[in-house]
Amino acid sequence: MSFKSLGLSEPILKAILEKGYETPSPIQAKAIPPVLEGHDVLASAQTGTGKTAGFTLPMLHYLSENPKDKYRPIRALVLTPTRELAAQVFENVKEYSEYLNIRSAVIFGGVNQKPQVAKIRQGVDILVATPGRLLDLESQGLLSLKRVEMFVLDEADRMLDMGFLRDIERVMKLMPDKRQNLMFSATFSKDIKKLAYSILNNPVQVEATPENTAVEIIEQKVYRVAKGKKTGLIIKLISEGNWQQVLVFTRTKHGANKLTKKMASAGITAAAIHGNKSQGARTKALAGFKSGKIRVLVATDIAARGLDIPLLPHVINFELPNISEDYVHRIGRTGRAGAEGQAISLVSADETTYLKGIEKLIGESIEVEIVEGFEPDPNASTEPIKPGQNRNKGRGGSRSSNSRNSGGNKSSNRNRSRNRSRNRN
Ligand code: AMP
């Protein structure tokens, strides 16, 4: 299967080639043909599957092959739950449309609307937007959705989680009835199906097998524990289990350093890898870990991404990620295809919301255990830790594992309160 055989035009193929893509990802291979044929599509796909190109490429093909009005009304609208996702989708649109006569813009809250309005005034074919700012500008008469021919609802499940249902319904009313609709969601709850039913006409359903099917064969366990007892518990588990190669994830760089030191004082050889470490230090730590000299590698999500870490018997989440998909990526580092793998998460009261989000994503509840002497604190608040929040005030580096969230809570006043506990991007 090639991009060419999907029927995409030459300028698009050229842009894809420059991006270095060789073959379409499964979701692209499945979604692009029906979108090109003009069908509504309901796609089950999460971040990392290549879903963005899955809808962007056929959208660009359609718009460029069917030019309409030289004044460029908005012909395609992509709605995303967060400003980061909006910015990411917009980047993709720009890259893939480099050799096309297509204009695009992105709008989201939390920043001055003027430059956004100026851009829209010049005429854009594709608008990528978060709901709050979109409705804001529309109600001010600064943009119109009356000529939209193609509507994409990206990460629909997160949209609902963030309380955007009413906003989506309002946006729907602003567009013509006759249009093509595409909806992407990682999960399919009853509410999502209901929403799909209300938006889509006779949709073609496509599904991407999650990149990590390992979820099913990995033994997952949650230890409920008081926050202050996590270090003691992790040392006990590693020592008593006599685990020799353990990858531990922390939320922050500072947390990674601190834990590494505590491990060392407990006689467990450990090294931290995160954004503040030089490439040399990271390579050395990784080599030591692979050769067995270092028993525990403590990493932040960002640092672990792209690292050639072998599949391991044990992955421990010292803290849960606030982005559910990151959990899947993390535990994907452990056993696959018959090899034994165990993914353990130490969960304190303030991570309860994250745990629920993860269980929803993977579609199952994770077995919970409590270890004597390391019980959870019954009086601790279940208020979630905010993304980017530093638990160790005054020390740098707290945003390391959350850089994708930076500013994520500012998308608008409306978004701000909604995003409080869940925002990922
Ligand atoms: P997405 O799921 O859309 O966020 O895409 C995940 C990542 O995969 C992005 O970094 C894309 O640039 C990349 N990507 C998308 N499609 C392909 C492809 N066909 N081949 C290689 N990489 C791709």
Side-chain angles (χ1 to χ4, degrees):
M1 171 77 71
S2 66
F3 279 106
K4 196 171 180 152
S5 67
L6 292 175
L8 296 166
S9 64
E10 279 303 326
I12 297 176
L13 294 175
K14 188 173 172 201
I16 297 172
L17 194 70
E18 280 178 14
K19 279 285 280 179
Y21 302 171
E22 283 167 9
T23 47
S25 71
I27 194 72
Q28 290 161 3
K30 288 182 198 166
I32 292 174
V35 179
L36 284 175
E37 282 163 20
H39 293 288
D40 278 12
V41 168
L42 177 61
S44 157
Q46 55 200 50
T47 305
T49 54
K51 69 181 168 69
T52 316
F55 63 80
T56 310
L57 300 178
M59 171 188 286
L60 288 169
H61 182 94
Y62 167 75
L63 295 175
S64 56
E65 297 284 307
N66 302 279
K68 290 239 163 102
D69 194 321
K70 66 175 183 222
Y71 296 108
R72 296 187 189 257
I74 297 163
R75 296 177 64 198
L77 172 69
V78 182
L79 209 54
T80 76
T82 65
R83 54 189 282 171
E84 282 73 19
L85 185 59
Q88 212 174 298
V89 171
F90 174 61
E91 271 313 305
N92 277 281
V93 170
K94 267 200 315 195
E95 284 173 350
Y96 303 141
S97 63
E98 191 174 346
Y99 303 106
L100 295 170
N101 179 19
I102 290 283
R103 282 203 221 139
S104 50
V106 62
I107 59 171
F108 44 69
V111 293
N112 190 343
Q113 70 174 44
K114 267 194 191 152
Q116 300 179 348
V117 173
K119 187 84 199 277
I120 292 169
R121 279 232 175 90
Q122 292 166 14
V124 294
D125 304 286
I126 301 175
L127 182 66
V128 185
T130 52
R133 178 56 60 95
L134 179 74
L135 289 167
D136 250 15
L137 296 190
E138 199 281 337
S139 65
Q140 295 175 60
L142 297 170
L143 64 82
S144 164
L145 299 177
K146 288 197 180 122
R147 303 279 296 275
V148 170
E149 296 163 56
M150 205 171 196
F151 171 58
V152 181
L153 189 63
D154 198 10
E155 303 207 347
D157 45 355
R158 183 160 319 135
M159 287 270 192
L160 293 194
D161 286 346
M162 288 170 62
F164 282 135
L165 180 60
R166 294 279 161 274
D167 285 354
I168 295 169
E169 287 168 350
R170 283 174 64 201
V171 171
M172 304 293 293
K173 291 203 182 103
L174 301 171
M175 297 184 289
D177 289 340
K178 193 174 168 301
R179 53 164 205 271
Q180 185 179 10
N181 302 288
L182 317 177
M183 183 166 143
F184 286 76
S185 187
T187 55
F188 282 88
S189 63
K190 237 200 214 153
D191 287 342
I192 287 289
K193 286 186 192 141
K194 210 167 119 192
L195 180 67
Y197 187 73
S198 73
I199 295 180
L200 306 166
N201 294 313
N202 219 353
V204 172
Q205 294 196 29
V206 295
E207 194 176 339
T209 325
E211 157 195 354
N212 188 348
T213 43
V215 177
E216 288 144 34
I217 60 156
I218 296 167
E219 185 195 337
Q220 298 172 71
K221 200 184 264 185
V222 159
Y223 285 95
R224 283 286 192 171
V225 56
K227 194 185 253 189
K229 291 186 176 165
K230 281 190 175 186
T231 306
L233 179 57
I234 197 170
I235 289 171
K236 179 184 163 74
L237 292 172
I238 293 173
S239 310
E240 291 186 359
N242 197 20
W243 298 343
Q244 293 303 325
Q245 226 183 13
V246 191
L247 178 63
V248 177
F249 284 96
T250 59
R251 285 164 61 87
T252 71
K253 298 176 208 173
H254 175 63
N257 286 339
K258 206 167 126 189
L259 186 60
T260 306
K261 280 196 193 126
K262 291 262 173 68
M263 295 257 182
S265 357
I268 299 171
T269 48
I273 45 164
H274 53 63
N276 283 1
K277 298 265 175 185
S278 69
Q279 193 54 47
R282 287 196 228 182
T283 312
K284 193 170 159 224
L286 194 60
F289 185 60
K290 281 183 180 171
S291 72
K293 263 194 231 147
I294 292 169
R295 227 167 127 184
V296 178
L297 194 64
V298 186
T300 57
D301 288 289
I302 300 277
R305 206 157 294 151
L307 271 188
D308 178 26
I309 298 175
L311 291 178
L312 304 161
H314 304 282
V315 169
I316 304 182
N317 297 303
F318 189 71
E319 285 132 346
L320 285 179
N322 56 303
I323 303 163
S324 303
E325 284 89 351
D326 281 349
Y327 175 83
V328 178
H329 289 146
R330 287 178 178 189
I331 73 166
R333 305 282 190 177
T334 187
R336 225 175 264 184
E340 257 183 47
Q342 200 182 31
I344 284 169
S345 303
L346 309 190
V347 181
S348 50
D350 55 359
E351 294 169 294
T352 305
T353 312
Y354 299 154
L355 179 60
K356 283 189 188 143
I358 288 163
E359 290 183 327
K360 198 169 158 198
L361 175 70
I362 63 173
E364 60 183 273
S365 50
I366 306 171
E367 183 192 330
V368 175
E369 200 171 311
I370 292 171
V371 178
E372 212 181 315
F374 298 89
E375 290 83 2
D377 177 358
N379 301 316
S381 161
T382 53
E383 181 72 15
I385 320 143
K386 288 180 194 136
Q389 182 177 315
N390 192 349
R391 300 173 195 206
N392 303 286
K393 282 204 175 92
R395 304 295 294 261
S398 69
R399 291 163 70 135
S400 60
S401 61
N402 295 317
S403 64
R404 276 195 281 161
N405 297 325
S406 51
N409 295 343
K410 292 185 206 136
S411 29
S412 69
N413 284 339
R414 185 199 319 254
N415 291 4
R416 198 178 347 232
S417 55
R418 284 175 177 157
N419 292 2
R420 229 168 22 109
S421 63
R422 317 207 26 108
N423 193 290
R424 104 153 158 134
N425 63 18

